[in-house]
Amino acid sequence: MRHHARRSSMTTTAVALDAGGHLLAFRRDDRAVLISGETSTRKAYTALQLNAPTADLVDAVQPGGLFHTLPTALDRPLLFIAGGVPVHRGGRLIGAIGVGGGAPGQDHGFASSAVRALA
Protein backbone atom coordinates (compact mmCIF):
# COMPACT_ATOMS: atom_id res chain seq x y z
CA MET A 1 0.00 0.00 0.00
CA ARG A 2 2.80 2.40 0.85
CA HIS A 3 4.20 1.86 -2.66
CA HIS A 4 0.87 2.88 -4.23
CA ALA A 5 0.62 5.95 -2.01
CA ARG A 6 4.14 7.06 -2.86
CA ARG A 7 3.49 6.69 -6.59
CA SER A 8 0.47 8.96 -6.22
CA SER A 9 2.41 11.37 -3.93
CA MET A 10 -0.45 11.06 -1.45
CA THR A 11 0.07 11.05 2.31
CA THR A 12 -2.05 8.49 4.14
CA THR A 13 -2.74 6.77 7.40
CA ALA A 14 -3.39 3.03 7.45
CA VAL A 15 -4.83 0.97 10.27
CA ALA A 16 -5.20 -2.80 10.71
CA LEU A 17 -7.67 -4.23 13.23
CA ASP A 18 -8.09 -7.82 14.36
CA ALA A 19 -11.44 -9.62 14.42
CA GLY A 20 -12.23 -8.13 17.83
CA GLY A 21 -11.67 -4.58 16.63
CA HIS A 22 -8.33 -4.24 18.41
CA LEU A 23 -5.50 -2.27 16.85
CA LEU A 24 -2.83 -4.44 15.24
CA ALA A 25 -0.98 -1.80 13.24
CA PHE A 26 -1.05 1.96 12.74
CA ARG A 27 1.03 3.83 10.16
CA ARG A 28 0.70 7.56 9.50
CA ASP A 29 2.84 9.38 6.96
CA ASP A 30 4.60 12.35 8.53
CA ARG A 31 2.70 14.83 6.38
CA ALA A 32 -0.73 13.16 6.60
CA VAL A 33 -3.48 15.27 8.10
CA LEU A 34 -3.98 14.44 11.77
CA ILE A 35 -7.66 13.56 11.41
CA SER A 36 -6.73 10.74 9.03
CA GLY A 37 -5.70 8.67 12.05
CA GLU A 38 -9.22 8.82 13.43
CA THR A 39 -10.98 8.39 10.10
CA SER A 40 -8.87 5.40 9.05
CA THR A 41 -9.59 3.70 12.39
CA ARG A 42 -13.33 4.31 12.14
CA LYS A 43 -13.42 3.11 8.54
CA ALA A 44 -11.71 -0.14 9.52
CA TYR A 45 -14.04 -0.60 12.50
CA THR A 46 -17.11 0.01 10.33
CA ALA A 47 -15.94 -2.49 7.69
CA LEU A 48 -15.27 -5.02 10.44
CA GLN A 49 -18.59 -4.60 12.25
CA LEU A 50 -20.69 -4.80 9.08
CA ASN A 51 -18.37 -7.21 7.22
CA ALA A 52 -18.48 -5.05 4.12
CA PRO A 53 -16.33 -2.42 2.42
CA THR A 54 -17.38 1.03 3.58
CA ALA A 55 -17.54 2.08 -0.09
CA ASP A 56 -20.49 -0.31 -0.46
CA LEU A 57 -22.32 1.17 2.55
CA VAL A 58 -22.38 4.88 1.77
CA ASP A 59 -25.90 4.83 0.29
CA ALA A 60 -27.25 2.78 3.21
CA VAL A 61 -26.85 5.71 5.64
CA GLN A 62 -28.61 8.26 3.48
CA PRO A 63 -32.11 9.33 4.59
CA GLY A 64 -34.42 6.40 3.99
CA GLY A 65 -31.49 3.96 3.82
CA LEU A 66 -31.28 0.71 5.75
CA PHE A 67 -28.66 2.06 8.19
CA HIS A 68 -29.77 5.71 8.30
CA THR A 69 -29.62 5.97 12.12
CA LEU A 70 -26.81 3.46 12.69
CA PRO A 71 -23.89 5.95 12.69
CA THR A 72 -25.14 7.47 15.96
CA ALA A 73 -26.70 4.38 17.57
CA LEU A 74 -23.51 2.80 18.91
CA ASP A 75 -21.00 3.77 21.60
CA ARG A 76 -18.15 3.58 19.11
CA PRO A 77 -18.95 5.72 16.08
CA LEU A 78 -19.00 4.18 12.64
CA LEU A 79 -17.84 6.06 9.55
CA PHE A 80 -19.51 5.42 6.22
CA ILE A 81 -16.87 6.84 3.90
CA ALA A 82 -14.93 4.69 1.43
CA GLY A 83 -11.60 3.41 2.75
CA GLY A 84 -12.49 0.52 5.07
CA VAL A 85 -12.25 -3.07 3.83
CA PRO A 86 -12.81 -6.32 5.77
CA VAL A 87 -10.11 -9.01 5.70
CA HIS A 88 -11.09 -12.66 5.25
CA ARG A 89 -8.99 -15.80 5.46
CA GLY A 90 -10.41 -19.21 4.72
CA GLY A 91 -13.88 -17.69 4.39
CA ARG A 92 -13.66 -16.25 7.91
CA LEU A 93 -13.60 -12.56 8.91
CA ILE A 94 -10.26 -11.98 10.63
CA GLY A 95 -9.99 -8.19 10.69
CA ALA A 96 -10.15 -5.04 8.63
CA ILE A 97 -7.95 -2.40 7.01
CA GLY A 98 -8.78 1.30 7.06
CA VAL A 99 -7.09 4.05 5.07
CA GLY A 100 -7.54 7.81 5.37
CA GLY A 101 -5.87 10.90 4.01
CA GLY A 102 -6.93 10.94 0.38
CA ALA A 103 -10.15 11.15 -1.55
CA PRO A 104 -12.56 8.35 -0.60
CA GLY A 105 -11.95 6.49 -3.86
CA GLN A 106 -8.18 6.64 -3.36
CA ASP A 107 -8.50 5.42 0.24
CA HIS A 108 -10.68 2.52 -0.90
CA GLY A 109 -8.20 1.60 -3.63
CA PHE A 110 -5.26 1.58 -1.20
CA ALA A 111 -7.17 -0.44 1.41
CA SER A 112 -8.29 -2.96 -1.22
CA SER A 113 -4.69 -3.29 -2.44
CA ALA A 114 -3.52 -3.96 1.12
CA VAL A 115 -6.16 -6.67 1.59
CA ARG A 116 -5.18 -8.33 -1.70
CA ALA A 117 -1.54 -8.29 -0.61
CA LEU A 118 -2.49 -10.13 2.57
CA ALA A 119 -4.33 -12.87 0.72
Side-chain angles (χ1 to χ4, degrees):
M1 187 193 85
R2 190 185 310 174
H3 172 71
H4 293 291
R6 278 192 191 138
R7 282 193 349 205
S8 72
S9 69
M10 192 178 110
T11 56
T12 60
T13 299
V15 170
L17 302 178
D18 68 12
H22 304 284
L23 186 66
L24 291 174
F26 179 92
R27 170 72 169 89
R28 184 173 91 58
D29 290 328
D30 291 339
R31 294 176 293 128
V33 294
L34 292 177
I35 198 170
S36 66
E38 182 68 25
T39 60
S40 59
T41 302
R42 288 187 186 192
K43 289 175 186 184
Y45 187 74
T46 302
L48 177 69
Q49 292 301 309
L50 298 173
N51 193 15
T54 54
D56 296 349
L57 300 169
V58 173
D59 290 338
V61 294
Q62 302 304 316
L66 181 63
F67 299 136
H68 176 62
T69 59
L70 190 59
T72 58
L74 305 172
D75 289 338
R76 188 165 176 187
L78 303 176
L79 187 58
F80 292 87
I81 298 174
V85 179
V87 179
H88 297 92
R89 180 162 290 147
R92 200 169 137 238
L93 179 65
I94 63 164
I97 301 289
V99 177
Q106 291 172 312
D107 292 346
H108 176 74
F110 293 152
S112 296
S113 293
V115 169
R116 281 192 300 276
L118 292 172

